[in-house]
Amino acid sequence: MRILLTGANGYVGKRLLPELLNNGHEVVCCVRNKNRLGLDAATLAKITIWELDFLEEPSLENLPAKFDVAFYLIHSMSSSTDKFDELESKAAKNFNTYLDEIGVKQVVYLSGIVNQDTLSKHLQSRLNVEEILYEGNFKTTVLRAAIIVGSGSSSFEIIRDLCEKLPLMITPKWVLTKSQPIAIRDVIQYLIGVMLNEKCYDDSFDIGGPDIITYKQMMLSYAKTRKIKLWIYTIPVMTPKLSSYWLYFVTSTSYKLAVNLVDSMRMEVVCKDNRLRDILNVQPISYVEAIKLAFLKIEQNLVVSSWKDSLVSGRFKEDLSGYIQVPTYGCLKDEKSIQIENPEKVLENIWSIGGEKGWYYGNWLWEIRGFMDKVVGGVGLQRGRTHLNEIASGDSLDFWRVLLADKKEKRLLLFAEMRLPGEAWLEFRIDENNVLHQIATFRPKGLFGRLYWYSLVPFHYFIFGGMIRNIAKTTS
């Protein structure tokens, strides 16, 4: 089949792509920025990339040929606390416009379970998108899921953060809301199973795992599986706003995402029926099995995708590729260099920076800076990194975003997503003479930006100096 995969660099899209290729399908990946796909050369050779932003006015020139199936995996929930529903509707309408010109037999949309007449803004937006897609000149299949559990999924990472960091929790009453979590592997099975399946045309199906449990039970099951002690006490007085701040400060989620998640978590999301399970003969795994599989992937360093690497996990929603040219005019810099003996080992050190490894010097100072960033509404250090020693352009790296990760050129360029009175870059590069260059660049905004930089110069002397010396070491 010829398949259009929108949201190909998203959490679900990155999981679905290899399965489609393994099944011999021809895949066109539709993304806003091809540099953020983060795929290996072998995979890139098997696909076609179509760069397109569905929020922009449609341009109907140079369109790809018709498709058998199109997967619509575009969501904007985290980009705004008040306008994401308008963005999602606009993207869906533009998607229909393009496919009217291109032609497609079936569109498959991954939505959210709808159980109540009064819906959260998140679930109402998903329902609106469904209705827009049903108006298209193609057969539509909608899969409605609740919480998706897998290594790197937002739901799994939030529960992981809460349980690992807080042995005692005083929680709001929404933790008693019921949900029906589903493993990411089962979501992929369903997505593939409905392709050109006439029994699934122009219909919506709920998909879930075998367990119907509360969020409290999810956390207790996680703790039991991980063999950690956890006590949870529920009180009725915690407001949605307080709950959002609670999630924001304890977990790696952004505040905007926390607001929308809390709004949704008050709604019960349980499958009304299991028709699709019977049609496709899918046997979904349990919530506990999904947790075990997720940690197996994490321990083997085989996490395919993470929600943290999407732009919605950061502070900037626009394409950051425009920042790849580090400016020189009006900038303040801290430049250091050191001769190295083993460039390959040093490159491994650079590619392992951040996350659990830390920043090679003064990690407690980096943690303080991350906490201060959270206090003022930034992303903090809690995002960590997806892989222990692999980096791709577009990945999140603590409170940085990877703009360029080129091992061949021996260069790593990061852009700061922390809250700053200016813009900041951090670059590591090994030249042809085996000299490691470490350059911190700051473009201040006004007088306050300059005062901020100069107030940190004493800290920069020790932190950046210690960092380059330790990165240059090739023995532990």
Side-chain angles (χ1 to χ4, degrees):
M1 294 183 211
R2 182 170 165 81
I3 295 172
L4 175 65
L5 179 59
T6 68
N9 56 354
Y11 177 73
V12 176
K14 273 194 172 181
R15 303 294 176 112
L16 181 58
L17 176 59
E19 298 298 325
L20 295 174
L21 294 175
N22 288 340
N23 290 337
H25 299 298
E26 179 187 353
V27 182
V28 175
C29 292
C30 185
V31 292
R32 282 187 292 179
N33 182 356
K34 63 182 181 182
N35 295 321
R36 295 196 62 253
L37 264 174
L39 300 175
D40 58 81
T43 303
L44 287 171
K46 297 177 183 177
I47 65 173
T48 302
I49 300 174
W50 183 21
E51 280 189 298
L52 176 68
D53 187 346
F54 285 105
L55 292 177
E56 295 180 353
E57 202 63 30
S59 173
L60 304 180
E61 298 179 358
N62 301 317
L63 298 180
K66 64 186 300 183
F67 297 95
D68 296 298
V69 177
F71 287 98
Y72 190 75
L73 303 177
I74 298 172
H75 302 299
S76 302
M77 184 175 78
S78 313
S79 59
S80 169
T81 55
D82 54 1
K83 291 184 179 180
F84 70 84
D85 53 338
E86 297 176 17
L87 299 176
E88 291 193 333
S89 293
K90 182 178 181 180
K93 290 175 181 176
N94 288 341
F95 175 78
N96 280 2
T97 299
Y98 278 107
L99 290 193
D100 282 345
E101 293 292 320
I102 295 171
V104 65
K105 296 176 184 176
Q106 179 194 24
V107 168
V108 181
Y109 173 51
L110 183 60
S111 183
I113 289 179
V114 178
N115 278 162
Q116 298 169 246
D117 293 332
T118 303
L119 300 174
S120 68
K121 193 171 184 179
H122 160 220
L123 292 175
Q124 184 61 58
S125 178
R126 297 289 192 267
L127 187 58
N128 292 342
V129 171
E130 289 182 28
E131 293 170 353
I132 292 169
L133 294 178
Y134 276 122
E135 296 172 358
N137 296 318
F138 40 74
K139 301 298 183 181
T140 301
T141 302
V142 177
L143 304 186
R144 294 171 171 171
I147 283 182
I148 297 176
V149 182
S151 57
S153 74
S154 59
S155 303
F156 171 79
E157 293 294 342
I158 287 171
I159 289 173
R160 181 186 181 189
D161 281 346
L162 290 172
C163 296
E164 300 281 356
K165 296 175 181 178
L166 298 176
L168 173 63
M169 293 188 212
I170 308 298
T171 60
K173 60 183 180 181
W174 54 255
V175 300
L176 302 178
T177 304
K178 290 182 180 179
S179 180
Q180 193 166 350
I182 181 171
I184 181 62
R185 56 170 281 177
D186 293 327
V187 173
I188 300 303
Q189 277 195 78
Y190 280 119
L191 288 169
I192 291 175
V194 300
M195 291 195 304
L196 296 189
N197 189 325
E198 295 183 5
K199 295 179 180 178
C200 305
Y201 284 174
D202 292 330
D203 205 350
S204 300
F205 301 92
D206 291 349
I207 58 173
D211 304 305
I212 299 175
I213 52 179
T214 65
Y215 294 104
K216 179 178 179 179
Q217 289 172 322
M218 284 186 212
M219 290 187 283
L220 290 172
S221 294
Y222 175 97
K224 185 177 180 180
T225 303
R226 296 291 292 159
K227 298 180 180 180
I228 57 178
K229 294 189 179 296
L230 179 64
W231 291 269
I232 301 176
Y233 299 95
T234 304
I235 58 175
V237 296
M238 191 172 284
T239 65
K241 189 166 187 178
L242 282 174
S243 298
S244 301
Y245 280 120
W246 176 60
L247 277 183
Y248 169 65
F249 278 107
V250 176
T251 73
S252 54
T253 185
S254 66
Y255 178 70
K256 291 177 180 179
L257 180 57
V259 170
N260 292 317
L261 284 173
V262 169
D263 187 36
S264 297
M265 285 174 173
R266 293 182 293 162
M267 307 292 171
E268 190 172 281
V269 280
V270 176
C271 296
K272 296 176 184 176
D273 61 63
N274 296 297
R275 289 180 298 137
L276 192 60
R277 184 189 66 187
D278 297 333
I279 292 172
L280 302 181
N281 193 28
V282 172
Q283 299 299 320
I285 64 174
S286 69
Y287 173 69
V288 170
E289 287 177 289
I291 292 174
K292 291 178 179 178
L293 274 178
F295 271 100
L296 184 62
K297 295 292 185 183
I298 293 169
E299 288 161 4
Q300 294 176 339
N301 199 25
L302 294 175
V303 180
V304 176
S305 62
S306 173
W307 79 276
K308 298 175 187 177
D309 293 331
S310 64
L311 282 179
V312 297
S313 76
R315 191 162 67 89
F316 299 94
K317 306 311 171 194
E318 74 274 14
D319 182 5
L320 296 178
S321 60
Y323 292 92
I324 202 166
Q325 286 295 121
V326 183
T328 55
Y329 179 76
C331 293
L332 302 167
K333 291 179 180 284
D334 183 286
E335 298 186 53
K336 289 180 169 54
S337 60
I338 188 171
Q339 186 74 44
I340 59 176
E341 296 180 357
N342 189 339
E344 296 305 319
K345 175 58 180 175
V346 172
L347 197 63
E348 287 180 19
N349 291 344
I350 295 171
W351 250 244
S352 302
I353 199 167
E356 294 181 10
K357 183 77 173 181
W359 291 83
Y360 290 98
Y361 186 87
N363 283 332
W364 63 277
L365 291 170
W366 288 91
E367 289 170 4
I368 291 174
R369 183 63 183 88
F371 174 76
M372 292 171 61
D373 191 50
K374 273 280 188 178
V375 169
V376 295
V379 296
L381 284 179
Q382 291 167 316
R383 291 186 306 183
R385 53 181 294 158
T386 301
H387 297 280
L388 294 176
N389 49 20
E390 295 179 19
I391 302 177
S393 298
D395 284 0
S396 64
L397 184 60
D398 292 336
F399 46 43
W400 301 88
R401 180 72 60 175
V402 180
L403 294 182
L404 178 69
D406 191 330
K407 268 198 167 181
K408 186 177 179 181
E409 296 294 327
K410 300 177 182 178
R411 184 179 179 223
L412 176 67
L413 178 63
L414 310 177
F415 181 72
E417 289 197 299
M418 67 194 83
R419 290 197 173 272
L420 293 168
E423 298 160 338
W425 292 258
L426 182 59
E427 180 180 0
F428 301 93
R429 178 173 54 86
I430 301 174
D431 67 20
E432 64 276 6
N433 297 315
N434 289 340
V435 174
L436 169 63
H437 300 270
Q438 175 185 285
I439 306 170
T441 303
F442 183 67
R443 181 161 61 184
K445 291 183 178 178
L447 177 61
F448 183 61
R450 291 184 174 275
L451 290 175
Y452 169 83
W453 173 267
Y454 287 118
S455 69
L456 292 176
V457 166
F459 297 98
H460 289 169
Y461 176 80
F462 292 103
I463 293 174
F464 290 145
M467 186 164 64
I468 192 172
R469 287 193 300 272
N470 288 333
I471 290 174
K473 291 180 179 178
T474 56
T475 57
S476 56

